[in-house]
Amino acid sequence: MKKTSTRLADGRELIYYDERDDAVREAADGRPLGPVSTTSEIREDRLLGDAVAIASHRQGRTYHPPADECPLCPSSGDRLSEIPDSSYDVVVFENRFPSLAGDAGRCEVVCFTADHDASFADLTPGQARLVLDAWTDRTAELSHLPAVKQVFCFENRGAEIGVTLGHPHGQIYAYPFVTPRTGLMLRSLAGHKERTGGRNLFDDVLADERAGERVVLEGEHWVAFVPYAAHWPYEVHLYPKRRVPDLLALDEAARTEFPQLYLELLRRFDRIFDEAVPDGADGTVPSGTRSPTPYIAAWHQAPFGALEGHEGVTRDDFALHLELFTIRRTSGKLKFLAGSESGMSVFINDVPPEAAAERLREVASS
């Protein structure tokens, strides 16, 4: 992997990640951009003890542009985008409309490929490995920022999820605090360790799932399963078999195997519904046209620094894992976060996890 760092016209950092060591990235950003102006601030909810990012400047962000105006495609001729070069493998850059900025953290965009019409599932294993290397590098770099406590790499896909740019991409949030979801995991981890005389909760959960009926895929170094208490209709957790706290700690064997299993998992997600899409004119379905499954793919990594409030637990007790889930519960129907979920954080899942695992095992990815 070759890494080339440069700056956009407004001073934001942009980094090219190339598979070839001889790649040259010298294109300059020719856009007349003004300085980035953000209003991000973090406010604490005194009743719940969590944090809310207030970012009113995001109201003006780019919203569903036509394909020929996509800001994530390479620049071409007079059409200048966020990526100055005419091609790229993987690119990461600071978000112009960040949810977190300055002392409140940092937000970055990760472009998986220059192909506007592709998806992560269309990548080759080599391309997927390059994305993994980019996630790892950014986790390392962002962890050194004084304000950052946790790095979160994720992908939102599909208009149903709320994606406003159709180009295949993800994001990285560097939070100045430990997120509430991670805090709950750490609390459970500490409690389990105390109750069981030092046993690790992640290890025990993984062992139980591997011995059960909800495993979807398993390789030499990774295993994917639908969790016992899945919140979402189709939800899969992907764990390295050797517990590590973050992406930086993965060994070469796990890095090499990851693309094959993850790409297979994404392709199965795209086939669980096999939903045809009418063309909008006479209701007919063009040959080969299918509605891609909307999903969120989220990496869970250990926070950096001391784990305050979680006595007896260290970073090494945490287990890196990826959670992949869709809000689609069946063809043409979405899972909405209604009263119980949104009002009380109590999920109600219409699809038994065992049935979801069986469905994901039976679908082919060809």
Side-chain angles (χ1 to χ4, degrees):
M1 178 189 78
K2 181 179 181 181
K3 176 182 174 182
T4 306
S5 180
T6 185
R7 293 282 172 179
L8 296 172
D10 54 13
R12 288 176 294 135
E13 186 177 17
L14 179 143
I15 307 151
Y16 294 97
Y17 293 90
D18 287 290
E19 291 188 80
R20 293 177 47 174
D21 291 336
D22 59 352
V24 177
R25 303 296 184 183
E26 297 178 339
D29 185 2
R31 297 172 297 170
L33 296 180
V36 175
S37 177
T38 63
T39 58
S40 295
E41 62 172 308
I42 302 296
R43 296 186 182 182
E44 181 183 358
D45 186 320
R46 291 187 291 172
L47 294 180
L48 298 179
D50 60 10
V52 177
I54 308 297
S56 60
H57 62 278
R58 284 176 53 80
Q59 286 280 36
R61 66 187 185 274
T62 308
Y63 187 81
H64 291 300
D68 60 356
E69 296 178 15
C70 174
L72 306 185
C73 287
S75 293
S76 177
D78 294 332
R79 191 189 65 76
L80 305 180
S81 72
E82 289 279 64
I83 296 89
D85 215 321
S86 59
S87 66
Y88 64 85
D89 290 344
V90 173
V91 165
V92 177
F93 61 87
E94 289 184 72
N95 198 326
R96 186 168 171 80
F97 303 97
S99 300
L100 309 166
D103 292 338
R106 174 156 159 158
C107 292
E108 298 182 340
V109 177
V110 184
C111 298
F112 303 139
T113 172
D115 185 351
H116 180 85
D117 297 318
S119 69
F120 201 116
D122 296 322
L123 301 183
T124 66
Q127 290 173 312
R129 169 61 190 264
L130 186 61
V131 175
L132 175 63
D133 290 343
W135 283 331
T136 304
D137 180 72
R138 297 315 302 153
T139 296
E141 293 293 331
L142 293 171
S143 71
H144 295 309
L145 297 180
V148 172
K149 301 296 183 184
Q150 188 171 1
V151 178
F152 176 45
C153 307
F154 65 100
E155 180 192 1
N156 299 328
R157 188 181 79 161
E160 300 94 330
I161 296 293
V163 174
T164 58
L165 296 176
H167 196 104
H169 72 288
Q171 299 181 65
I172 302 175
Y173 278 19
Y175 296 102
F177 51 80
V178 176
T179 62
R181 189 174 180 87
T182 302
L184 291 175
M185 291 184 193
L186 293 172
R187 186 179 71 183
S188 297
L189 187 61
H192 185 82
K193 191 173 187 179
E194 181 178 1
R195 289 192 304 272
T196 61
R199 295 184 63 85
N200 183 278
L201 177 58
F202 287 109
D203 292 350
D204 287 352
V205 167
L206 186 57
D208 290 345
E209 292 291 1
R210 289 184 66 193
E213 58 182 313
R214 290 178 297 274
V215 172
V216 176
L217 287 170
E218 184 165 2
E220 184 178 354
H221 304 284
W222 295 83
V223 59
F225 59 87
V226 178
Y228 170 75
H231 289 58
W232 299 93
Y234 289 89
E235 175 182 340
V236 177
H237 294 188
L238 179 62
Y239 276 71
K241 292 182 179 179
R242 182 178 70 87
R243 172 166 44 90
V244 295
D246 52 35
L247 290 166
L248 283 69
L250 287 173
D251 60 24
E252 182 59 30
R255 292 181 183 280
T256 299
E257 186 181 76
F258 170 78
Q260 285 82 9
L261 264 71
Y262 188 47
L263 291 172
E264 171 70 11
L265 196 57
L266 291 179
R267 290 162 187 164
R268 292 192 186 196
F269 254 61
D270 269 345
R271 295 187 64 85
I272 51 178
F273 304 112
D274 200 26
E275 185 171 277
V277 183
D279 66 4
D282 58 2
T284 59
V285 180
S287 175
T289 301
R290 291 292 182 267
S291 173
T293 300
Y295 66 72
I296 292 175
W299 280 108
H300 291 264
Q301 305 190 80
F304 292 95
L307 301 180
E308 299 176 2
H310 302 285
E311 289 75 14
V313 173
T314 69
R315 290 193 79 248
D316 289 336
D317 291 320
F318 195 88
L320 167 77
H321 63 284
L322 182 143
E323 298 184 7
L324 173 69
F325 60 89
T326 178
I327 62 171
R328 186 173 289 167
R329 55 191 175 91
T330 188
S331 295
K333 296 180 180 179
L334 301 179
K335 164 64 179 175
F336 291 101
L337 299 189
S340 185
E341 292 88 354
S342 295
M344 283 294 172
S345 295
V346 178
F347 275 69
I348 301 169
N349 189 353
D350 298 336
V351 180
E354 294 74 21
E358 183 178 5
R359 174 64 177 155
L360 286 163
R361 283 194 300 266
E362 71 184 10
V363 293
S365 65
S366 58

